[in-house]
Amino acid sequence: MKYSTYLIKYAEIAIKGKNRYVFEDALMHRMRLALKQIDGEFAVSKTQGRMYVDCKSDYDFDELIAALKKVFGINAICPMVRVEKKDFDSLREEVIRYVSEEYPDRNKTFKVFARRADKSFPVRSTEMNCALGEAILTAFPEMKVDVHTPEIELNVEVREDVCIYSKQIPGPGGMPIGTNGKAMLLLSGGIDSPVAGYMIAKRGVKIDAVYFHAPPYTSERAKQKVVDLARIVAGYAGTICLHVINFTDIQLAIYEKCPHDELTIIMRRYMMRIAEQIAKENDCLGLITGESIGQVASQTIQSLSVTNEVCTLPVFRPLIGFDKQEIIEISEKINAFETSILPYEDCCTIFVAKHPVTKPNLSAIKRSETKLEDVIDELVQKAIETDEVINVI
Ligand code: ATP
Ligand code: MG
């Protein structure tokens, strides 16, 4: 069946009062951006608390649904038939035509759910339910009514036009990007951080990202992989401003001057410090990492708290209580997994110690960091100056 309109359902409970407009406007904006990416002409509109996508030209159904399934804030997408409002007889005909085209297999149970938003329409909703139900049973004797758990819930809404729909395609849920500020994602080439970015973006947070690379120890291909991952997250989160920072000299200095079992933790602290500085310069209100308790030595609770100690911004760790398998499932769902597992080296893995500390002591780490005193401020400053900004769409 060819649909000319889609009803967009979104979670209304959380968005009362003034916030409602902010939420709705952001959602419409994001839907328009998503629909621009595909062939066809579409109009997004809102009337009487309902949001619609009207298709003004030919389009591909699968492409349209795929695009809308990436727009956070959408709970369900309902393909809909919109017909002119005339009298009840013609409405009944349209409903029969809809059922006949939409459900060639009629061995189904159904329930009619009519709504009369236009109170000037002469037939009340309860009467419509009965009359339309009867008409369907007469036209298609194989069908049966089930008011409790129908296979088909046939919605008939009388508004400026008559809207008929019965299918709900689940959307991604969440809140529209831009309704909850902006945060800086520490994006590596691994499995976890793209998922972490996706999860925070889902709550309406706009994302910037920072990637630390260590040329020539890490390659151009490793960097390209991170750009590719940023693009996958950007499919949901909108354009991502990716900062690529050259971390080589800092890493070499740490390697040269600090105990090797503390390398990773000290390196992580410098990553967080630099990420925080770039975040603040770019109006980000928090940092995001892909850390999860106990996953590796640098993610024990002790290590996390030592890393955390250098940050003044809140650090969002949406994967903190997730098992690897649960993270992989989301990674696969958002189509990041295949890219994440490409085998390019990461700057964390190159300078890694054989036996890293798993219970670092904050004072000991601070003492080790004093060995960097003479050089580190300048190195950090220089690293920040290498900032290469890539707008990933
Ligand atoms: P991921 O799969 O996200 O790479 P991981 O399991 O490899 O995570 P770590 O390497 O300990 O774990 O990194 C923990 C977190 O630190 C990452 O999720 C990411 O947010 C951040 N991070 C690590 N390396 C980098 C990097 N090179 N650039 C930016 N952020 C990084
Ligand atoms: Mg990693």
Side-chain angles (χ1 to χ4, degrees):
M1 183 183 265
K2 197 121 190 78
Y3 307 102
S4 55
T5 304
Y6 292 78
L7 170 68
I8 303 300
K9 293 195 168 171
Y10 50 96
E12 288 151 82
I13 303 149
I15 43 161
K16 299 238 165 73
K18 204 173 112 230
N19 282 344
R20 188 188 175 104
Y21 293 96
V22 175
F23 183 102
E24 289 172 341
D25 290 349
L27 181 54
M28 289 202 292
H29 176 62
R30 289 290 150 187
M31 280 163 54
R32 288 186 185 115
L33 289 179
L35 294 171
K36 261 196 200 150
Q37 312 282 321
I38 62 169
D39 283 339
E41 208 184 307
F42 307 95
V44 176
S45 64
K46 183 181 77 175
T47 36
Q48 300 171 326
R50 295 241 147 189
M51 212 170 274
Y52 301 101
V53 174
D54 282 296
C55 309
K56 304 285 192 192
S57 67
D58 261 359
Y59 67 96
D60 182 78
F61 175 82
D62 293 336
E63 226 175 51
L64 176 100
I65 297 300
L68 293 177
K69 268 177 162 284
K70 287 186 162 186
V71 179
F72 292 133
I74 296 181
N75 273 6
I77 307 152
C78 309
M80 193 174 100
V81 169
R82 203 201 274 265
V83 295
E84 207 187 323
K85 181 175 58 188
K86 295 184 200 149
D87 49 22
F88 185 68
D89 286 345
S90 75
L91 185 151
R92 185 167 43 207
E93 268 170 41
E94 293 291 355
V95 169
I96 297 294
R97 193 209 320 254
Y98 173 90
V99 174
S100 130
E101 287 180 20
E102 190 78 311
Y103 297 100
D105 169 18
R106 311 246 157 72
N107 254 322
K108 295 216 184 294
T109 59
F110 76 100
K111 165 191 174 179
V112 180
F113 189 46
R115 260 158 291 184
R116 188 177 60 136
D118 171 8
K119 300 292 178 208
S120 71
F121 193 73
V123 187
R124 302 164 77 106
S125 46
T126 43
E127 294 167 50
M128 275 197 274
N129 285 340
C130 295
L132 292 173
E134 260 176 46
I136 291 170
L137 289 173
T138 310
F140 312 114
E142 315 91 290
M143 294 185 76
K144 289 193 185 66
V145 173
D146 180 347
V147 288
H148 300 295
T149 49
E151 288 167 283
I152 304 170
E153 185 183 276
L154 187 66
N155 292 273
V156 179
E157 300 188 359
V158 181
R159 299 174 177 273
E160 275 173 36
D161 313 297
V162 175
C163 303
I164 309 168
Y165 65 92
S166 59
K167 291 190 170 157
Q168 297 209 21
I169 301 162
M175 306 185 83
I177 298 292
T179 52
N180 274 318
K182 186 163 78 162
M184 180 67 73
L185 168 67
L186 283 90
L187 182 62
S188 66
I191 296 169
D192 306 323
S193 45
V195 172
Y198 164 86
M199 288 183 66
I200 296 297
K202 185 165 182 238
R203 299 306 304 158
V205 179
K206 191 165 165 29
I207 303 280
D208 278 358
V210 56
Y211 166 58
F212 297 94
H213 71 153
Y217 304 97
T218 62
S219 65
E220 259 319 287
R221 288 168 80 190
K223 173 176 151 190
Q224 186 55 44
K225 175 181 166 185
V226 173
V227 174
D228 293 343
L229 287 170
R231 188 167 299 119
I232 292 166
V233 179
Y236 299 87
T239 306
I240 291 180
C241 180
L242 172 67
H243 300 263
V244 179
I245 300 285
N246 186 326
F247 202 59
T248 312
D249 290 343
I250 295 178
Q251 236 166 347
L252 289 174
I254 300 171
Y255 192 74
E256 193 186 314
K257 295 178 193 288
C258 301
H260 283 190
D261 61 346
E262 295 173 358
L263 286 181
T264 307
I265 204 84
I266 295 176
M267 191 185 79
R268 301 273 310 121
R269 279 163 62 91
Y270 279 100
M271 280 188 184
M272 296 303 262
R273 287 177 172 113
I274 295 174
E276 174 158 299
Q277 189 167 333
I278 303 174
K280 285 180 175 167
E281 282 163 13
N282 290 279
D283 303 319
C284 293
L285 302 173
L287 302 174
I288 307 163
T289 75
E291 290 158 314
S292 148
I293 292 175
Q295 204 188 72
V296 286
S298 59
Q299 295 176 28
T300 60
I301 318 197
Q302 292 86 348
S303 297
L304 288 170
S305 81
V306 170
T307 308
N308 203 64
E309 195 262 346
V310 297
C311 302
T312 58
L313 287 178
V315 182
F316 305 129
R317 298 179 172 91
L319 309 182
I320 200 70
F322 279 35
D323 295 344
K324 197 72 187 186
Q325 192 51 38
E326 293 170 310
I327 301 170
I328 288 173
E329 275 162 30
I330 304 176
S331 173
E332 284 174 334
K333 186 180 86 179
I334 66 172
N335 269 325
F337 189 66
E338 294 295 314
T339 306
S340 282
I341 57 173
L342 292 173
Y344 306 130
E345 67 295 320
D346 175 7
C347 67
C348 298
T349 45
I350 282 167
F351 294 89
V352 83
K354 276 212 185 72
H355 300 289
V357 281
T358 53
K359 292 183 184 160
N361 171 284
L362 182 58
S363 342
I365 297 290
K366 282 185 166 172
R367 219 172 307 125
S368 301
E369 283 182 353
T370 61
K371 302 196 173 105
L372 298 164
E373 254 168 13
D374 296 343
V375 290
I376 198 68
D377 288 350
E378 197 188 332
L379 290 180
V380 166
Q381 197 44 45
K382 275 200 178 142
I384 289 173
E385 282 163 17
T386 65
D387 189 355
E388 178 197 354
V389 178
I390 305 173
N391 273 309
V392 184
I393 302 172

